[in-house]
């Protein structure tokens, strides 16, 4: 049963990166779009994510609930030592979710729209940035449960080059996913070309920040290159990601099928997550001094894990068909607005 | 303010904020479903417009409730890591099921809000009902988790170890039913009176009278039924609390001395030092009767509870008095309304009846906050009743005061913006929802 729970945790994180990430990316793309195209981009994005955005963010809740029910020590260690970035991320989540809804449901469309827009785009940047920072910090080996001064225990755990570059890398990935997604959501040829260019830019940004992550890891003494490339799964995953990226660029240039482009982008992100997580399996938090928090050793008692697994299985029987039908029903951007 | 008090205040603030939005999120869909149903059956556009107007409100409240709920799932660990480390695996079952219910709610809401004219109208209607049902289920599950803190079950506490964990038993603890019942009815009463009150105000101001009169009837009926049922569920809850948490009941009633024919104290200022209540009205024997259905059986007073296991008496007592007092007023309004719809139809046109509803607009939510204060403050000093103290659960991180200030600022701004948006929705009713020639 523990493996069922672990699989769900991994899947929830992956789906949150893919769906929630594309959702954050909507704001990131808006932030990096020129003033004259902003309104069009915003509307296209809204049409695409309006009905599904709430559901996209549920994956975070699933992941966090799995952690605090099944792996309480991992949950409490992270929430104690990464308290500050978590709080900033939460402010981002509050600001983004409410601004997105408020700008649409404000009965009067006046200057307040500018306020909502600004809050939405900045929080769309800040939230995934700190999600990345938190993820980077979890494996950075900086969390020191024995630290006895404020800075070591609560600040340097996340304020380091490695965590910060992972944060930027996450933002770039979100923007990339959103740009790929939005290509298929417009019928206007000019906009299509513009979105394809945006996707290429975001892809390059991700590559640059990805390289910076390796540089930062090296500078901070984190053996990231070894983690990624000293095992066959890691190597295969990274090679597959690069090959699929080549195919994707070819498709972008040749105006290939949108669905294939989307699948390829999703595949790359999946492979990156796989390469990062497989080497440390079953550990998900690396503490100072090489100690680990492991999903196997730090799991809750047998009965807890069993009932958690049952709840997840039961939940997915209900959720997945409904979610697929939702995505299917609103797959085209021809929503009648009421 | 020290960090411990700041952590408690931040948690109280976050829950106190979230509870309003979740009540509205779980009850409004039922009001919409009724209006929507009437629209489909009668074809009357007013019902459709009411459904649409309400659905805008629901979208605003749902989004705010969803983010504040997400924040809470993190705050449990951010503020109370020691509690979550031990409690998470035990009382986590309702949370893992709640994840599903919440997810379903979000999916159904997507269908409902964007489904106009896209789906078969009954399918569309059902998605609205699903929003309500999954919201209600979410609420019940979360309250069941809270009930576990009042009535811990599903584990053996041996030498500081939590052994033989049984999450199912923990979920179905002794308090889950009475608490969940009381909370659900409270949500219907609070949301019903709030919505009915706003429509009543608009009728009194002679704005879109037909629209608002039609809209008023649905929440008013729900609210009044809930207001009548609530004292009954309150009685179940009080007996339950007396049985499981005598210290909480003693604090609620400011019941200092254990004696035969325990009196019910109404109002008054409890003095914890002198251990007496000043200026209160005492009805001898009534507390004994309410708890044990017998006027003479003594009810355990605070004198039988160790000093360091007593909750703050004054706050608990005041909050309880506020909740019960408001409950009684709402019950009286409900009685008037039932007389009006059954016997005296002429009352329905009287401004005084509408004025009563206007006055009652915030009452349900004040009662909800007061009741929440009773259950949380009344459990102190425990976070898990009789097992773990709140002071032992708090995060070791210093500086929580600043976090509390920031959260306060964020929640105050959010409350202001939501109020502003609601005001705008209502002001735009003539232009958007109640036009002679519908644009749709």
């Amino acid at each position: 049963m523990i493996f069922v729970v672990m699989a769900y945790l991994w899947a929830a994180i992956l789906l949150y990166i893919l769906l929630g990430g594309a959702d954050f990316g909507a704001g990131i793309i808006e932030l990096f779009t020129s003033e004259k195209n902003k309104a069009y981009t915003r509307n296209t994005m809204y049409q695409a994510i309006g009905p599904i955005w709430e559901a996209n963010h549920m994956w975070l809740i699933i992941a966090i609930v799995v952690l605090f029910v099944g792996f309480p020590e991992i949950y409490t260690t992270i929430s104690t030592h990464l308290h500050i970035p978590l709080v900033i991320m939460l402010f981002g989540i509050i600001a983004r979710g409410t601004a997105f809804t408020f700008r649409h449901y404000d009965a009067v469309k006046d200057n307040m729209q500018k306020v909502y827009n600004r809050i939405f785009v900045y929080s769309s940047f800040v939230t995934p940035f700190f999600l990345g920072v938190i993820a980077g910090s979890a494996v950075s080996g900086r969390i020191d449960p024995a630290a006895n001064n404020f800075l070591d225990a609560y600040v340097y755990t996340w304020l380091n080059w490695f965590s910060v570059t992972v944060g930027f890398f996450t933002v770039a990935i979100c923007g990339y996913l959103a740009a790929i997604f939005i290509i298929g959501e417009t019928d206007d040829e000019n906009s299509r070309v513009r979105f394809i260019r945006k996707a290429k830019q975001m892809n390059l940004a991700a590559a640059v920040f990805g390289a910076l992550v390796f540089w930062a890891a090296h500078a901070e003494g984190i053996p990231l290159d070894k983690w990624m490339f000293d095992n066959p799964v890691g190597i295969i995953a990274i090679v597959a990601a690069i090959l699929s990226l080549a195919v994707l660029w070819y498709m972008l240039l040749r105006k290939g099928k949108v669905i294939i482009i989307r699948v390829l982008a999703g595949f790359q992100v999946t492979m990156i997550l796989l390469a990062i997580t497989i080497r440390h399996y079953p550990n998900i938090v690396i503490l100072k001094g090489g100690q680990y928090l492991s999903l196997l050793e730090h799991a809750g008692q047998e009965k807890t894990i069993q009932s958690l697994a049952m709840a997840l299985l039961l939940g997915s029987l209900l959720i997945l068909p409904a979610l697929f039908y939702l995505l299917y029903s609103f797959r085209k951007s021809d929503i009648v607005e009421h | 303010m020290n960090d411990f008090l700041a952590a408690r205040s931040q948690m109280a603030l976050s829950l106190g904020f979230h509870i309003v939005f979740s009540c509205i999120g779980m009850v409004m869909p039922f009001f919409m479903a009724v209006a929507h149903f009437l629209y489909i059956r009668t074809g009357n556009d007013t019902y459709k417009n009411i459904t649409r107007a309400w659905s805008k409100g629901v979208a605003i409240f749902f989004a705010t409730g969803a983010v504040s709920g997400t924040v809470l799932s993190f705050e449990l660990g951010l503020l109370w890591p020691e509690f979550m480390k031990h409690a998470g695996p035990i009382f986590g079952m309702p949370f893992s099921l709640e994840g599903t219910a919440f997810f379903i709610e979000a999916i159904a809401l997507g269908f409902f809000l964007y489904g106009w004219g896209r789906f078969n109208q009954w399918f569309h209607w059902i998605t609205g009902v699903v929003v309500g049902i999954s919201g209600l289920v979410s609420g019940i599950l979360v309250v069941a988790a809270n009930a576990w803190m009042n009535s811990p079950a599903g584990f053996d506490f041996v030498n500081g170890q939590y052994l033989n964990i049984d999450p199912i038993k923990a979920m179905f603890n002794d308090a889950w039913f009475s608490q969940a019942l009381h909370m659900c009815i409270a949500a219907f009463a609070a949301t019903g009176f709030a919505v009915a009150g706003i429509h009543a105000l608009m009728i009194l101001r002679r704005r879109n009278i037909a629209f608002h009169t039609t809209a008023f009837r649905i929440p008013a009926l729900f609210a009044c039924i809930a207001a009548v049922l609530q004292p009954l569920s309150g009685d179940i809850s009080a007996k339950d609390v007396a049985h499981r948490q005598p210290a909480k009941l003693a604090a609620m009633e400011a019941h200092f001395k254990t004696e035969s024919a325990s009196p019910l104290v109404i109002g008054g200022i409890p003095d914890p030092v002198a251990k007496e209540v000043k200026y209160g009205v005492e009805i001898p024997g009534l507390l004994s009767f309410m708890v044990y259905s017998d006027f003479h059986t003594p009810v355990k007073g605070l004198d039988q509870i160790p000093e360091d296991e007593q909750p703050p008496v004054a706050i608990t007592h005041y909050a309880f008095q506020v909740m019960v007092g408001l409950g009684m007023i709402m019950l009286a309004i409900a009685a008037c309304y039932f007389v009006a719809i059954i016997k005296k139809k002429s009352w329905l046109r009287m401004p005084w009846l509408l004025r009563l509803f206007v006055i009652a607009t915030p009452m349900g939510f004040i009662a909800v906050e007061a009741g929440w204060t009773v259950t949380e403050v009344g459990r102190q000093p425990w976070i898990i009743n009789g097992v773990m103290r709140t002071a032992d659960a708090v995060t070791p991180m210093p500086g929580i005061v600043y976090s509390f200030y920031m959260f306060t600022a964020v929640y105050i701004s959010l409350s202001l913006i939501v109020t502003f948006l609601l005001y705008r929705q209502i002001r735009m009713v003539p232009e958007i929802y109640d036009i002679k020639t519908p644009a749709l």
Side-chain angles (χ1 to χ4, degrees):
Chain A
M1 280 306 201
I2 181 78
F3 295 102
V4 174
V5 173
M6 282 160 67
Y8 270 93
L9 178 63
W10 197 82
I13 293 172
L14 175 67
L15 286 167
Y16 187 56
I17 298 174
L18 291 177
L19 299 169
D23 207 290
F24 285 123
I28 297 164
I29 297 282
E30 196 178 319
L31 180 64
F32 293 111
T33 296
S34 65
E35 219 38 66
K36 77 173 188 316
N37 292 324
K38 261 202 170 105
Y40 183 84
T41 303
R42 185 181 306 135
N43 290 336
T44 314
M45 278 295 182
Y46 183 80
Q47 300 268 305
I49 66 175
I52 54 171
W53 84 273
E54 292 272 15
N56 287 344
H57 291 272
M58 294 295 151
W59 298 110
L60 177 65
I61 311 238
I62 303 285
I64 206 73
V65 168
V66 169
L67 271 186
F68 84 52
V69 176
F71 313 95
E73 210 172 326
I74 297 172
Y75 170 75
T76 52
T77 304
I78 293 175
S79 51
T80 303
H81 293 282
L82 301 176
H83 190 117
I84 297 167
L86 277 165
V87 166
I88 303 174
M89 178 201 81
L90 289 176
F91 284 138
I93 287 177
I94 296 176
R96 186 176 186 280
T98 51
F100 183 79
T101 307
F102 293 171
R103 77 171 171 188
H104 184 65
Y105 286 101
D106 194 336
V108 184
K109 305 285 182 228
D110 58 4
N111 277 336
M112 281 300 286
Q113 291 291 324
K114 284 188 188 149
V115 179
Y116 304 136
N117 285 337
R118 197 158 294 169
I119 296 175
F120 176 71
V121 294
Y122 288 120
S123 53
S124 293
F125 188 97
V126 168
T127 312
F129 175 76
F130 277 95
L131 276 167
V133 167
I134 292 160
S137 307
V139 295
S140 68
R142 294 305 171 95
I143 296 175
D144 180 5
N148 49 18
N149 71 74
F150 186 81
L151 291 175
D152 283 339
Y154 305 109
V155 178
Y156 297 140
T157 45
W158 55 275
L159 192 61
N160 54 65
W161 286 115
F162 178 70
S163 301
V164 168
T165 48
V166 173
F168 281 114
F169 178 66
T170 311
V171 171
I173 288 285
C174 292
Y176 170 61
L177 287 170
I180 291 288
F181 179 73
I182 199 178
I183 293 171
E185 296 295 317
T186 181
D187 296 324
D188 174 44
E189 190 50 36
N190 283 338
S191 303
R192 201 181 134 83
V193 170
R194 200 158 51 74
F195 291 143
I196 289 176
R197 196 166 60 230
K198 195 62 68 190
K200 290 177 187 163
Q201 288 164 354
M202 287 290 168
N203 192 192
L204 284 176
V208 170
F209 284 114
L212 280 175
V213 169
F214 276 94
W215 167 81
H218 182 73
E220 303 262 349
I222 298 164
L224 183 64
D225 43 358
K226 212 176 103 200
W227 292 348
M228 298 281 248
F229 301 114
D230 75 347
N231 65 94
V233 181
I235 296 172
I236 293 168
I238 294 300
V239 170
I242 292 170
L243 286 178
S244 73
L245 188 62
V247 177
L248 187 143
W249 274 74
Y250 177 77
M251 304 268 302
L252 282 181
L253 296 173
R254 302 302 292 269
K255 294 183 185 169
K257 276 225 163 75
V258 171
I259 181 78
I260 298 176
I261 296 177
R262 284 182 186 176
V263 168
L264 286 171
F267 176 76
Q268 284 147 25
V269 175
T270 311
M271 286 300 116
I272 294 171
L273 186 69
L274 180 68
I276 298 166
T277 48
I278 193 80
R279 171 61 160 75
H280 292 297
Y281 167 85
N283 308 318
I284 61 168
V285 176
I286 300 168
L287 303 171
K288 193 157 198 157
Q291 297 289 96
Y292 293 101
L293 291 182
S294 148
L295 289 171
L296 287 176
E297 284 160 38
H298 297 90
Q301 294 175 23
E302 184 67 31
K303 265 202 155 163
T304 300
I305 296 297
Q306 251 173 29
S307 49
L308 177 59
M310 293 313 288
L312 290 167
L313 289 166
L314 178 78
S316 43
L317 281 181
L318 294 168
I319 293 168
L320 292 177
L323 185 64
F324 281 123
Y325 189 55
L326 181 78
L327 295 171
Y328 173 79
S329 301
F330 294 101
R331 68 199 177 284
K332 278 204 199 90
S333 48
D334 56 353
I335 294 156
V336 183
E337 195 56 64
H338 281 256
Chain B
M1 188 184 266
N2 65 34
D3 282 329
F4 175 50
L5 190 60
R8 282 185 59 196
S9 308
Q10 184 179 321
M11 200 67 197
L13 173 81
S14 307
L15 285 164
F17 182 85
H18 181 67
I19 203 170
V20 174
F21 292 87
S22 40
C23 281
I24 294 171
M26 75 202 219
V27 172
M28 279 304 287
F30 290 104
F31 297 172
M32 291 190 308
V34 172
H36 194 178
F37 179 82
L38 292 171
Y39 164 67
I40 297 175
R41 291 310 287 272
T42 64
N44 181 346
D45 271 337
T46 306
Y47 286 119
K48 183 186 185 185
N49 290 329
I50 290 169
T51 313
R52 281 178 47 232
W54 283 346
S55 74
K56 300 282 167 81
V58 166
I60 293 169
F61 280 97
F62 183 83
T64 315
V67 293
S68 60
T70 307
V71 169
L72 278 168
S73 64
F74 281 91
E75 266 181 322
L76 286 170
L78 291 171
L79 298 173
W80 315 106
E82 199 50 36
F83 164 67
M84 286 310 286
K85 196 156 148 189
H86 301 293
I90 311 172
F91 84 151
M93 190 64 189
F95 285 111
S96 27
L97 294 172
E98 198 261 351
T100 301
F102 192 24
F103 213 135
I104 297 287
E105 193 180 355
I107 294 170
L109 192 73
F111 276 116
F112 181 76
L113 290 178
Y114 295 85
W116 292 98
R118 271 181 92 95
F119 301 105
N120 170 296
Q121 56 180 1
W122 286 109
F123 174 79
H124 187 215
W125 181 77
I126 284 174
T127 60
V129 175
V130 171
V131 176
I133 291 173
S134 45
L136 208 55
V137 171
S138 287
I140 292 170
L141 289 165
V142 170
V143 172
N146 175 262
W148 178 84
M149 295 161 73
N150 287 318
S151 171
F155 66 101
D156 296 322
F157 189 58
V158 186
N159 298 329
Q161 301 262 20
Y162 297 75
L163 304 173
N164 303 321
I165 290 174
D166 185 340
I168 308 289
K169 261 192 200 151
M171 181 162 74
F172 294 112
N173 57 74
D174 291 340
W176 86 270
F177 179 74
S178 63
Q179 266 195 249
L181 180 70
H182 201 56
M183 184 71 242
C184 289
I185 298 177
F188 274 93
T191 311
F193 275 109
V195 178
I198 292 170
H199 289 296
L201 181 68
M202 291 293 130
I203 302 169
L204 286 172
R205 290 197 174 167
R206 318 213 133 267
R207 306 249 174 88
N208 307 73
I209 292 179
F211 176 88
H212 286 298
T213 306
T214 315
F216 168 81
R217 286 188 194 131
I218 296 166
L221 189 62
F222 272 103
C224 290
I225 294 172
V228 172
L229 294 177
Q230 191 64 322
L232 303 175
S233 92
D235 183 58
I236 299 174
S237 281
K239 287 194 166 76
D240 199 30
V241 169
H243 172 65
R244 285 180 297 96
Q245 293 175 283
K248 183 188 273 186
L249 185 87
M252 282 154 65
E253 304 285 0
H255 181 51
F256 287 104
K257 268 199 298 277
T258 312
E259 59 195 347
S260 176
S262 303
L264 183 76
V265 183
I266 297 172
I269 300 171
D271 183 343
V273 182
K275 303 198 183 307
E276 58 178 26
V277 182
K278 286 183 192 136
Y279 317 115
V281 178
E282 286 196 8
I283 306 170
L286 191 56
L287 183 60
S288 292
F289 179 75
M290 291 178 89
V291 174
Y292 297 109
S293 309
D294 170 81
F295 285 101
H296 298 289
T297 318
V299 175
K300 205 175 190 183
L302 287 163
D303 56 354
Q304 290 201 354
I305 290 149
E307 203 65 47
D308 69 339
E309 291 181 13
Q310 291 183 9
V313 179
I315 299 178
T316 316
H317 181 65
Y318 291 139
F320 183 64
Q321 300 296 308
V322 167
M323 176 184 82
V324 174
L326 291 172
M328 290 301 133
I329 297 174
M330 288 184 279
L331 177 64
I333 295 174
C336 292
Y337 189 66
F338 284 125
V339 171
I341 52 177
I342 295 164
K343 284 226 135 175
K344 303 245 183 197
K345 299 268 186 210
S346 60
W347 285 12
L348 287 173
R349 286 188 297 276
M350 301 285 186
W352 64 265
L353 188 67
L354 291 173
R355 258 181 225 129
L356 284 180
F357 275 94
V358 174
I359 295 166
T361 308
M363 279 187 189
F365 280 109
I366 298 173
V368 164
E369 297 288 359
W372 190 246
T373 308
V374 170
T375 194
E376 288 301 290
V377 177
R379 194 190 56 241
Q380 302 305 321
W382 304 105
I383 191 165
I384 308 173
N385 192 38
V387 176
M388 184 190 280
R389 281 171 187 271
T390 315
D392 297 331
V394 72
T395 178
M397 194 180 102
I400 297 299
V401 180
Y402 301 103
S403 154
F404 169 58
Y405 292 151
M406 286 190 295
F407 273 95
T408 308
V410 168
Y411 281 137
I412 289 177
S413 343
L414 265 185
S415 312
L416 292 175
I417 301 176
V418 169
T419 313
F420 168 75
L421 288 173
L422 214 59
Y423 168 75
R424 281 185 155 186
Q425 284 285 343
I426 295 164
R427 212 188 55 190
M428 292 299 279
V429 162
E431 274 103 295
I432 308 178
Y433 305 112
D434 192 25
I435 33 183
K436 292 291 165 273
T437 48
L440 296 159

